[in-house]
Amino acid sequence: MCNIRITEMQDEKDIEFLHNKQSFNYRFDKATIDLLKKHFRLKDSLYLLAEKGEEFVAFCSVDREWWEDDFFFIREILVDPNFQKLGIGKKLMSRCIEYAKNKKAKGVVTETDSENSPMQNLCSKFGFKEWDNPKWKEGITYKLLF
Ligand SMILES: CC(C)(COP(=O)(O)OP(=O)(O)OC[C@H]1O[C@@H](n2cnc3c(N)ncnc32)[C@H](O)[C@@H]1OP(=O)(O)O)[C@@H](O)C(=O)NCCC(=O)NCCS
């Protein structure tokens, strides 16, 4: 992970940099960017950007906009294909989980497509369990209880 810098986004305008960044068939389209902007404004949101020089490496965000009290939601995680399988996803997710713990959350949730095995494996590494989400049946909801 030589020369890769991880910073916390401080300004909503920085989110535009993510526009059209993609990996596999997942892309930060305008709708995703707008949602990220909306959640950035909330109290206790954490937006982590990884870069190598000026080059985009990865992004991960966590916020507390989840319908169960005291849970944080890992809303987005994306590692550029040139930087995958280097442990960057793990590192960003770990920072988000620690952050939620420090905010006295009960746990963290995230959602993914049922075909997305890299994300499913990543979640398993952290001990997330599949959770029968009454509000979302289109994919898998993962929950990690602290
Ligand atoms: C999921 C994703 C963020 C993983 O990022 P990464 O930096 O490559 O992951 P890491 O190198 O930290 O790997 C962590 C674990 O994830 C799993 N994993 C990562 N890439 C994988 C792949 N291509 N296939 C299967 N498992 C994979 C492995 O279990 C790995 O642990 P290991 O190295 O001990 O085997 C990345 O594949 C990605 O950006 N995917 C596209 C965007 C996306 O789908 N985001 C989730 C939307 S819900």
Side-chain angles (χ1 to χ4, degrees):
M1 268 192 260
C2 224
N3 298 327
I4 294 174
R5 192 176 75 251
I6 297 174
T7 51
E8 292 180 20
M9 279 188 179
Q10 302 294 342
D11 193 326
E12 190 183 310
K13 292 193 196 87
D14 297 342
I15 297 169
E16 277 301 329
F17 176 60
L18 301 174
H19 196 219
N20 284 332
K21 299 288 186 281
Q22 62 182 6
S23 177
F24 300 121
N25 57 358
Y26 195 74
R27 185 170 66 91
F28 288 148
D29 58 10
K30 182 168 182 319
T32 310
I33 296 292
D34 287 347
L35 274 177
L36 281 171
K37 285 182 180 171
K38 181 177 155 212
H39 293 96
F40 184 79
R41 294 174 203 135
L42 302 177
K43 183 174 177 284
D44 290 338
S45 295
L46 177 70
Y47 282 35
L48 295 174
L49 177 67
E51 294 166 285
K52 186 172 184 177
E54 304 286 292
E55 194 180 358
F56 171 76
V57 172
F59 174 76
C60 186
S61 76
V62 67
D63 61 68
R64 56 190 323 156
E65 183 78 348
W66 182 253
W67 51 275
E68 293 171 290
D69 285 344
D70 299 321
F71 278 86
F72 277 61
F73 182 49
I74 296 185
R75 186 168 300 280
E76 299 294 343
I77 180 163
L78 186 145
V79 178
D80 183 274
N82 292 324
F83 296 95
Q84 285 180 4
K85 295 198 155 185
L86 298 173
I88 297 166
K90 212 157 36 183
K91 179 152 200 169
L92 293 181
M93 196 179 249
S94 161
R95 287 257 313 248
C96 288
I97 292 169
E98 284 310 305
Y99 179 80
K101 261 187 201 161
N102 289 334
K103 295 284 175 188
K104 311 276 184 266
K106 286 183 188 155
V108 176
V109 284
T110 193
E111 295 173 339
T112 195
D113 196 279
S114 39
E115 311 287 308
N116 193 341
S117 56
M119 182 62 177
Q120 291 164 23
N121 291 342
L122 179 61
C123 289
S124 301
K125 293 254 149 181
F126 285 96
F128 279 85
K129 302 284 179 238
E130 285 188 33
W131 181 64
D132 189 12
N133 182 350
K135 297 200 181 194
W136 193 65
K137 301 287 179 198
E138 288 78 17
I140 306 172
T141 301
Y142 282 100
K143 190 176 256 191
L144 176 65
L145 291 172
F146 296 154

